[in-house]
Amino acid sequence: MTSLPIHATPDHRTVVFKTVNNATVTVTFPQPVENPEYSARSVITRLGDSITRSELEAEQESALEEGLEDSFPASDPVSASITTVLPKGHNGES
């Protein structure tokens, strides 16, 4: 997560944060916002949630692919033959 903002521009459009691992995160809005620090934190939180969801979806997709590969080919192949039973008294000739 982020620490306190280290800089917010007077025009209420840009907020700079320093993260716990000393990375710098800058959020710039296209227009001034009423509470730039709060709005910027909200943007960062939603971005983090989106990244987490994307990573989870990629892991699930990978697990599905692996499961499909492990189950192919199936143990019982598809039957392509047709079996018929002739009524009693017929030998199959016309």
Side-chain angles (χ1 to χ4, degrees):
M1 294 294 177
T2 59
S3 64
L4 293 175
I6 58 173
H7 176 69
T9 59
D11 66 359
H12 295 269
R13 289 188 56 224
T14 302
V15 182
V16 180
F17 293 90
K18 179 132 338 210
T19 65
V20 291
N21 59 356
N22 288 324
T24 301
V25 176
T26 303
V27 177
T28 302
F29 297 98
Q31 299 164 343
V33 293
E34 194 167 312
N35 187 339
E37 291 88 0
Y38 177 81
S39 298
R41 284 185 187 278
S42 177
V43 167
I44 292 169
T45 299
R46 286 193 312 256
L47 179 60
D49 292 346
S50 176
I51 290 169
T52 301
R53 274 193 310 275
S54 295
E55 289 171 347
L56 179 60
E57 290 170 359
E59 288 174 17
Q60 290 173 338
E61 182 70 25
S62 177
L64 177 60
E65 276 297 316
E66 186 177 330
L68 289 173
E69 289 172 6
D70 289 346
S71 67
F72 186 81
S75 59
D76 297 326
V78 176
S79 176
S81 62
I82 299 174
T83 305
T84 60
V85 178
L86 296 173
K88 223 176 194 186
H90 287 78
N91 60 7
E93 296 178 12
S94 299

